[in-house]
Amino acid sequence: MAEPAGRGRAWHDRSVRKDEGAATTSAELRAHNLARLLRAVHDGGGRLTRAELTRQLSLARGTATVLVRDLAGRQLIEELSSPVGVPDGLKVPRTRGRPTGVPSAHPRGPVALAVDLRDDSFTVAAFELTGRCTVLDRQEREAVSGTGMLAEVAAKLQVHRREFGDRVVGVGVAVPSPVSAGQMVQPTLPDWQDLDVAAALGAAPGDADEGLVLVGNDATLAGLAEARRGVLRGVSVALHLHVATGIGGVLLAAGQPVTGARGSAGEFGHMPLTGGTDPCRCGSVGCWELDAGARGLLRAVGQPEEGDRMVRAEQVIAAAATDPGCGQALERAAEALGRGIGALVNAQDPEAVGLSGLAAEVYEAAPAAVQVGYLATLMRFRRAAPPALLSSTLGDLGALTGASELVFDAFLTPRGLGGWPAPEEKTA
Ligand SMILES: [Zn+2]
């Protein structure tokens, strides 16, 4: 069985779907099937009919009916006549002459709060069971310090926990740092160093009201989101690269992030993939992100690497068409991006490569230069059919979506659902 949903546990410790296959008694089997069905509703984004879910999970029709009724009774789902957002004219197909409903998010059902923490801004959003997202706060950095910004996030979360009451099943937080044991071990802001994020967000030890806070690296979570809801959905082995100030990413096998023994794998930006020798802020030398990404772009135009790096890097991309200096910098950073991707594809043999953040922007702005670098470093036998480079479809919502998936991964288990209050116990 999964470990208790503890405060501050690094999310990678928690084996997703660990409860599957452990059912022995009929009560356990029922709890197991309820979690499987709810998971399938979540994964399907609320677009699959009951008949489709029944087939997908190889359930007997009668069993599915009972399970759906049970989940609806507990306000976990609501069965609609058509998926949310589908016009009335396009009704769900009938099976054997009878209409089949679409299990969807219950209006008073579970909510995952998600935070996208960046060094210059933060966003808080609420996600329903089927992945529908409502952005609640989006704030540019006003506080002088990183800890001041975290205090602001904590205050916002307190408001939203009150607002949603016991519908909140957890908080997922994407942070711009590798994470080890819940701490930011190499953050972009100095006063975040070794900070316990869950503790900073007000989850006091043993305080049940504060609930579960799960923390992950932003690039890893952006990749997880693409595998669940974006361009890497259904891809067997995928490499995802997320470029912000630095370059992070994740290898995903069958949709699951490979995050390493301590949860800090995927620091691809700190590999010497482009042949440089300059020292890096991380302690290594010749790191890829010194040549590609925001740092690479700024270095190529001779700008300092401090301050609002992302904004200035985007300005370089925007000016590339008219300013020859910016154009050359973009070409160089784009080719360096491609070279690194080729090296990583040689190492990991993914089926496709997802790109988000500045990686997607650079690829859109200079696709030919990225391809030149990519094909130059790709081993010859791979060049006939190089893995596709796919720009994110989730955009700014990637890391947030991944953070919400952490929460639902913990919730959509027999143990997680066991903590969901029955309607009569609910206060909100
Ligand atoms: Zn480095």
Side-chain angles (χ1 to χ4, degrees):
M1 296 293 281
E3 290 295 313
R7 161 199 163 265
R9 277 182 68 80
W11 69 276
H12 68 277
D13 294 346
R14 309 164 47 79
S15 277
V16 177
R17 305 174 209 189
K18 210 172 189 175
D19 303 68
E20 280 189 8
T24 49
T25 70
S26 63
E28 279 174 6
L29 184 64
R30 187 182 173 83
H32 170 80
N33 276 333
L34 285 169
R36 277 178 75 216
L37 180 56
L38 204 57
R39 174 98 224 173
V41 173
H42 171 78
D43 289 349
R47 281 183 294 273
L48 300 177
T49 64
R50 189 203 302 186
E52 286 165 335
L53 291 162
T54 304
R55 260 198 309 279
Q56 191 185 94
L57 299 174
S58 305
L59 293 168
R61 202 140 58 98
T63 305
T65 304
V66 172
L67 293 173
V68 165
R69 199 181 300 147
D70 192 339
L71 292 172
R74 294 175 65 191
Q75 299 189 343
L76 285 159
I77 60 167
E78 176 180 55
E79 209 171 25
L80 303 178
S81 56
S82 62
V84 173
V86 172
D88 282 348
L90 298 169
K91 284 293 180 195
V92 171
R94 287 161 177 262
T95 48
R96 300 189 196 177
R98 282 189 299 169
T100 166
V102 183
S104 305
H106 193 282
R108 288 175 47 168
V111 165
L113 294 177
V115 179
D116 183 3
L117 185 69
R118 303 185 185 188
D119 52 17
D120 59 356
S121 66
F122 69 84
T123 308
V124 183
F127 284 79
E128 292 178 19
L129 174 77
T130 48
R132 193 158 63 159
C133 165
T134 307
V135 172
L136 304 170
D137 307 289
R138 202 188 279 275
Q139 197 162 305
E140 297 305 311
R141 182 181 173 194
E142 283 166 10
V144 186
S145 66
T147 43
M149 184 151 76
L150 272 171
E152 285 177 32
V153 174
K156 298 285 186 196
L157 285 175
Q158 211 172 7
V159 170
H160 299 311
R161 279 181 175 121
R162 234 176 279 137
E163 194 180 311
F164 288 99
D166 51 13
R167 291 182 62 193
V168 177
V169 294
V171 178
V173 188
V175 299
S177 167
V179 176
S180 191
Q183 297 184 339
M184 291 197 260
V185 291
Q186 194 195 289
T188 46
L189 295 181
D191 63 338
W192 282 344
Q193 185 66 47
D194 297 330
L195 195 95
D196 183 327
V197 180
L201 293 182
D207 187 347
D209 286 349
E210 296 298 349
L212 179 67
V213 177
L214 296 169
V215 182
N217 170 259
D218 54 3
T220 305
L221 294 178
L224 177 65
E226 295 297 337
R228 299 280 172 84
R229 309 250 177 239
V231 289
L232 300 176
R233 197 177 159 106
V235 174
S236 61
V237 176
L239 175 68
H240 187 74
L241 296 170
H242 178 78
V243 177
T245 301
I247 305 179
V250 64
L251 184 71
L252 297 131
Q256 297 291 359
V258 179
T259 55
R262 292 164 201 81
S264 53
E267 292 299 320
F268 303 121
H270 300 287
M271 297 172 72
L273 301 179
T274 37
T277 53
D278 288 349
C280 176
R281 64 189 171 116
C282 74
S284 183
V285 290
C287 291
W288 183 27
E289 67 173 49
L290 292 169
D291 293 325
R295 296 181 76 192
L297 274 168
L298 294 178
R299 280 161 53 93
V301 288
Q303 285 193 27
E305 289 180 56
E306 279 75 48
D308 48 355
R309 291 167 286 212
M310 278 296 281
V311 174
R312 286 185 291 121
E314 283 173 342
Q315 285 167 352
V316 173
I317 297 174
T322 50
D323 179 322
C326 291
Q328 277 169 15
L330 173 63
E331 291 287 306
R332 268 170 66 181
E335 191 175 336
L337 180 69
R339 283 179 169 265
I341 294 171
L344 292 170
V345 167
N346 288 342
Q348 295 178 318
D349 188 24
E351 190 185 324
V353 181
L355 303 173
S356 62
L358 210 60
E361 291 176 44
V362 167
Y363 185 46
E364 301 297 315
V370 173
Q371 288 290 343
V372 164
Y374 181 32
L375 293 174
T377 52
L378 211 54
M379 294 163 75
R380 192 181 299 112
F381 81 91
R382 301 187 193 278
R383 288 184 200 153
L389 308 184
L390 306 172
S391 290
S392 164
T393 49
L394 300 172
D396 252 9
L397 296 180
L400 273 176
T401 303
S404 79
E405 291 293 317
L406 289 187
V407 175
F408 280 113
D409 281 354
F411 179 66
L412 296 172
T413 62
R415 186 184 287 264
L417 293 180
W420 177 251
E424 60 273 20
E425 295 166 24
K426 293 187 80 167
T427 52

